């Protein structure tokens, strides 16, 4: 049964191998349940990933989906060289290496937010797995290219942010569910930037009262929005937390209105100067100026 997502390749050059985390002897930071959710979000929202088998790598565009238990489904032509290597790697623990780069979906510098690295075991996709899939997952599988499908069961999951890489607990990874807002982050941010510049300007005044920087929303999830104040030499990211988690895109409008009404509840501890640190359709309903006061 050949059952296809959409995008463009992402850079993965210079990414340390997963083994580097194992050999660190526990020097990395400890993973949290939030890391498991973040890993699932990065993987689910990605439009492309890099598949490495032995010493051969291939960028797969619009050719993967994620099952509810975290298994990654790849669409790879069995008659291609990559397909042949998958056949040879089938059943061998950790033989499949997947790299995903999480990029801020806006035109800013320093767009790389994290990298996700997975070692896994490849098997032929069993159509019986569809019985445990929700409608959205079934649709993502039906959208894959009409070639052979492979299921990759993760053996190791490593999330690499600006801090030390963290090895995500496999049980937590499998139990986690993607953030309902983060998976459609690009569409929400594009709509907010295109249609609600007045709201962004008012939110921007919360993090840059002097108005001396270009303020851009660079991240959005169920629990808050991150605004970046860009200056010629550096930039600072500030997270504005919502009063309560947003469970659907339609709730974002109310969450943003509440932020403005409360003066943003800015968590100054979440600000990070990069110069110092080194580094479906949109569901947002229309926001009118008189609704945000």
């Amino acid at each position: 049964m050949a059952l296809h997502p959409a995008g463009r390749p992402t850079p993965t050059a210079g990414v340390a191998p997963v083994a580097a985390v194992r050999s660190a002897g526990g020097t990395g930071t400890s993973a949290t349940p939030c890391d498991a959710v973040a890993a699932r979000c990065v993987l689910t929202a990605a439009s492309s990933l890099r598949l490495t088998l032995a010493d051969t790598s291939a960028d797969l565009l619009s050719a993967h989906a994620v099952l509810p238990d975290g298994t990654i489904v790849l669409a790879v032509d069995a008659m291609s060289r990559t397909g042949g290597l998958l056949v040879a790697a089938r059943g061998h623990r950790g033989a499949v290496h997947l790299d995903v780069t999480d990029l801020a979906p806006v035109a800013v510098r320093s767009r790389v937010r994290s990298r996700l690295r997975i070692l896994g075991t490849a098997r032929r996709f069993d159509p019986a797995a569809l019985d445990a899939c929700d409608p959205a997952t079934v649709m993502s599988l039906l959208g894959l290219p009409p070639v052979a499908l492979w299921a990759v069961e993760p053996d190791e999951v490593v999330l690499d942010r600006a801090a030390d890489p963290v090895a995500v607990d496999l049980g937590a990874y499998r139990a986690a569910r993607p953030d309902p807002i983060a998976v459609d982050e690009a569409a929400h941010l594009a709509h907010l930037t295109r249609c609600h510049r007045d709201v962004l300007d008012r939110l921007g005044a919360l993090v840059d009262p002097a108005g001396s920087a270009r303020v851009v929303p660079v991240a959005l999830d169920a629990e808050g929005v991150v605004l970046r104040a860009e200056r010629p030499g550096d930039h600072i990211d500030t997270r504005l937390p919502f009063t309560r988690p947003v469970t659907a895109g339609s709730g974002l409008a109310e969450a943003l209105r509440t932020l403005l009404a409360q003066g943003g509840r800015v968590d100054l501890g979440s600000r990070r100067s990069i110069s110092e640190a080194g580094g479906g359709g949109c569901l947002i309903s229309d926001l009118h100026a008189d609704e945000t006061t």
Side-chain angles (χ1 to χ4, degrees):
M1 180 179 181
L3 300 168
H4 87 81
R8 48 185 90 61
T10 55
T12 55
V15 178
V18 175
V21 176
R22 296 201 305 272
S23 64
T27 58
T29 56
S30 298
T32 68
C34 290
D35 292 320
V37 173
R40 291 292 296 268
C41 287
V42 169
L43 189 57
T44 301
S47 59
S48 65
L49 54 77
R50 174 163 291 184
L51 166 64
T52 301
L53 298 158
D55 59 351
T56 300
S57 296
D59 290 319
L60 304 184
L61 282 66
S62 308
H64 81 278
V66 185
L67 300 185
D69 68 353
T71 297
I72 303 101
V73 179
L74 306 178
V76 179
D77 186 351
M79 301 305 292
S80 66
R81 172 174 172 75
T82 303
L85 290 172
L86 271 172
V87 171
R90 186 170 46 183
H92 294 283
R93 181 179 172 85
V96 177
H97 187 170
L98 302 177
D99 288 294
V100 185
T101 302
D102 175 30
L103 300 175
V106 291
V108 293
R109 58 172 174 252
S110 301
R111 292 181 61 208
V112 176
R113 301 187 294 201
S114 64
R115 300 182 192 275
L116 182 66
R117 302 176 318 233
I118 296 174
L119 289 183
T121 304
R123 295 183 173 84
R124 291 301 297 265
F125 175 72
D126 182 358
L130 290 171
D131 294 337
C133 293
D134 56 89
T137 302
V138 173
M139 291 305 297
S140 67
L141 289 168
L142 291 173
L144 293 172
V147 294
L149 295 186
W150 304 84
V152 177
E153 299 177 5
D155 298 315
E156 296 182 25
V157 178
V158 174
L159 184 64
D160 189 356
R161 288 172 169 150
D164 293 333
V166 295
V168 179
D169 178 77
L170 287 179
Y173 167 84
R174 291 191 176 280
R177 292 295 178 266
D179 183 297
I181 302 302
V183 293
D184 286 327
E185 176 189 42
H188 291 314
L189 289 180
H191 179 83
L192 189 59
T193 301
R194 183 176 63 252
C195 302
H196 303 298
R197 189 70 249 178
D198 59 328
V199 176
L200 290 180
D201 289 342
R202 295 176 67 186
L203 287 173
L206 299 175
V207 300
D208 181 43
S212 59
R214 172 190 180 228
V215 178
V216 186
V218 293
L220 181 68
D221 57 44
E223 298 187 351
V225 60
V226 176
L227 300 182
R228 173 169 296 181
E230 281 194 323
R231 295 179 177 84
D234 65 359
H235 59 269
I236 297 176
D237 291 346
T238 302
R239 182 175 180 82
L240 303 178
F242 298 144
T243 55
R244 63 179 62 85
V246 177
T247 58
S250 56
L252 284 172
E254 180 60 31
L256 292 170
R257 284 196 294 266
T258 302
L259 270 181
L260 288 170
Q262 295 189 347
R265 298 179 62 233
V266 178
D267 178 8
L268 295 179
S270 69
R271 292 190 178 211
R272 182 166 62 92
S273 172
I274 302 303
S275 62
E276 298 172 355
C282 183
L283 299 177
I284 297 179
S285 61
D286 286 340
L287 298 174
H288 301 294
D290 58 350
E291 295 177 333
T292 58
T293 56

